[in-house]
Amino acid sequence: MENITNQEYKKIYQKASPRSPLLKDVLLAFLVGGAICALGQGLKNYFISRGLDDKAVSSCLSITLVFFGVLLTDLNIYPKIAKFAGAGTIVPITGFANSIAAPAVEYKTEGLVLGTCVKMFTIAGPVLACGLTASVIYGLIYYIMG
């Protein structure tokens, strides 16, 4: 390999990299993310109309959205939506469900334990670990200051 400078490498990289249609990407992310959130709001209104209290509504809503995220991932629909909408599918709870389910679906041929169960947390595992650690630290601070 030739010795090239950082500036030469940057020119080669910029020439080979396609330009991102930023406005289109932002609009698609906004519309699809908004549609997912609107679906969530519709489900919330439905659960409230069925007479559930706030705690039950939150639980039912989370469970339903996670279920749909995992189901659409397993049917290979969520990845297609994500490819189309980009970041619009990452932020909602369905994106979190997808990040856990996608590796599990991908590695299910390796078996239940070594495939599905082990690979399920390859992406979401660090997020869960950091979130749990932060919540414990916050809880301790709250208890001490409390």
Side-chain angles (χ1 to χ4, degrees), residues 81-102:
I81 296 170
K83 186 174 183 178
F84 172 74
T89 59
I90 294 172
V91 177
I93 192 170
T94 53
F96 181 72
N98 173 261
S99 72
I100 291 178

Side-chain angles (χ1 to χ4, degrees), residues 17-132:
S17 298
R19 291 201 33 91
S20 176
L22 184 62
L23 183 61
K24 176 186 167 205
D25 290 347
V26 169
L27 285 174
L28 286 174
F30 175 77
L31 291 173
V32 173
I36 293 170
C37 292
L39 171 68
Q41 184 64 47
L43 288 169
K44 181 179 179 181
N45 293 346
Y46 171 76
F47 292 134
I48 290 171
S49 75
R50 304 302 294 167
L52 297 175
D53 63 11
D54 288 341
K55 196 171 187 177
V57 167
S58 296
S59 297
C60 289
L61 183 58
S62 296
I63 290 168
T64 304
L65 289 174
V66 167
F67 171 77
F68 282 132
V70 171
L71 178 66
L72 292 175
T73 299
D74 191 43
L75 297 174
N76 200 31
I77 296 171
Y78 204 90
K80 292 175 184 172
I81 296 170
K83 186 174 183 178
F84 172 74
T89 59
I90 294 172
V91 177
I93 192 170
T94 53
F96 181 72
N98 173 261
S99 72
I100 291 178
V105 170
E106 184 177 345
Y107 290 98
K108 69 182 173 186
T109 57
E110 294 182 22
L112 180 63
V113 174
L114 295 177
T116 302
C117 293
V118 171
K119 298 295 184 179
M120 186 182 315
F121 296 106
T122 55
I123 294 174
V127 174
L128 291 171
C130 290
L132 289 172

